[in-house]
Amino acid sequence: METLSLLFGPLLAGDRLLGVISIQSNRQHAYGDRERFIFKALCAYAAIALDNAAAYALTESAQQETHAALMELRQMQRDLIEREKLAALGSLVAGVAHELNTPIGNSLMVASTLHEGSEEFLTLVSQGQLRKSQLEQFCRNTQDASGLLMRNLEKAAALVNGFKQLAVDQTSERRRVFNLRQTCEEVSLTLAHLLQRAGHELVVDVAEDVALDSYPGPLGQVLSNLVINAGLHGFAGRQGGHMRLSARVLEAQQVLLCFEDDGHGIAAEHLDKIFEPFFTTRLGQGGSGLGLHISYNIVRNLLGGSITVSSTLGQGTQFEIVLPLVAPGLGEALS
């Protein structure tokens, strides 16, 4: 087509040039003031439309990227939480080995002594040299040895049953009615080898008649995390630390669990951050920054309670956990 009239108009979004619109005609002087005014308005509207479309496409892309990043972060968090659970289970296994060593070692020693005594007794019998006093002594020794053997094996059996229950609880979220003191003592027993090795002491002061209808495994994980956190941070670089775990029943069918230590304490600027994921003052030194975050989520979202912290630098730290004696249903807790 032969072009005798031609207009060009820039598509401007602020100071940015997005493009150009041109209109053409085969007539001379085809565009007067009215047409030029309409053309300028068309260019302005087109520029706004193009800019909005680009912004929307960018926003949609950013949303997709953000969603993908969030999904990846959640998966990474799930993986890290599973690793924390496996680490807790590893600590449990170490506790089993350490605590069973004494009763089983004693049992082996008693059994060995009893075996040697039996061989000597049979030798005397076969040689016809057994006297009444030797028979009586053998019977007394056998009775004492069997009693000691029974006590050690019963202790080992009780430890195995306790650890078995604790292992089942810590690797599941099974709800049941349980004794709070027993659960606290099982946690203390599990971590005893770690505390003894570092020269720390944990005192459990919980009444024997407090029962909860809740989740003992996740609660045990919370308490374990508090003890391990105190050892890692509160007593860093020192031995002889003291910890105390106490509980008392409140009104409105609640129980207050208090865990306190006489460690280094927490700086004021860190108190508001310690429950945040991946926050740690010992990055690369054994701290993952997930222990207290996991504990916070368990207390709030599963056990239906609350957890708070108070501390003065140089004077130790105190965690207070308020839990209902009867945990809410899972949907209620999450809401």
Side-chain angles (χ1 to χ4, degrees), residues 10-21:
L11 302 177
L12 295 173
D15 296 330
R16 293 180 295 114
L17 177 65
L18 305 181
V20 173
I21 290 182

Side-chain angles (χ1 to χ4, degrees), residues 31-251:
Y31 308 116
D33 291 340
R34 175 175 174 275
E35 287 78 17
R36 285 194 293 272
F37 177 80
I38 294 174
F39 180 61
K40 287 181 181 180
L42 175 64
C43 290
Y45 289 143
I48 293 173
L50 286 172
D51 191 43
N52 287 343
Y56 178 79
L58 181 63
T59 302
E60 188 176 23
S61 175
Q63 285 178 342
Q64 291 174 350
E65 291 178 3
T66 301
H67 178 71
L70 282 174
M71 294 298 293
E72 185 176 353
L73 178 60
R74 286 171 183 164
Q75 183 59 47
M76 183 174 67
Q77 244 179 320
R78 283 193 292 268
D79 292 343
L80 287 170
I81 288 171
E82 287 304 314
R83 291 180 189 175
E84 289 278 337
K85 288 184 177 180
L86 289 175
L89 192 58
S91 176
L92 179 64
V93 171
V96 171
H98 180 83
E99 295 300 326
L100 287 178
N101 184 60
T102 299
I104 291 178
N106 290 341
S107 299
L108 287 173
M109 183 178 64
V110 172
S112 176
T113 303
L114 190 59
H115 178 71
E116 291 175 2
S118 299
E119 287 184 339
E120 294 175 3
F121 179 77
L122 288 173
T123 300
L124 291 173
V125 171
S126 64
Q127 294 176 352
Q129 300 177 1
L130 183 65
R131 297 191 299 270
K132 181 181 179 181
S133 60
Q134 291 174 318
L135 176 59
E136 291 175 348
Q137 184 63 43
F138 175 76
C139 290
R140 282 194 296 269
N141 290 343
T142 302
Q143 186 177 28
D144 292 342
S146 60
L148 185 59
L149 193 60
M150 284 295 297
R151 287 193 296 273
N152 278 281
L153 291 177
E154 285 173 356
K155 182 179 179 181
L159 285 170
V160 169
N161 287 334
F163 280 124
K164 184 166 64 175
Q165 182 62 64
L166 193 60
V168 169
D169 286 338
Q170 288 199 355
T171 53
S172 68
E173 293 181 355
R174 187 164 62 91
R175 177 173 182 160
R176 63 182 176 88
V177 177
F178 63 94
N179 182 275
L180 180 59
R181 179 182 177 87
Q182 182 180 351
T183 296
C184 293
E185 287 180 340
E186 287 172 349
V187 170
S188 175
L189 189 60
T190 302
L191 301 174
H193 68 294
L194 294 176
L195 300 177
Q196 292 169 3
R197 188 172 60 190
H200 304 320
E201 179 187 19
L202 172 61
V203 175
V204 176
D205 181 18
V206 180
E208 296 182 357
D209 59 348
V210 181
L212 274 71
D213 178 0
S214 190
Y215 301 86
L219 176 58
Q221 186 179 359
V222 170
L223 300 179
S224 296
N225 286 344
L226 294 180
V227 175
I228 293 171
N229 187 73
L232 184 63
H233 299 279
F235 302 129
R238 58 165 281 196
Q239 289 190 330
H242 296 87
M243 291 169 276
R244 183 171 181 268
L245 177 60
S246 59
R248 60 186 177 91
V249 177
L250 306 175
E251 296 180 358

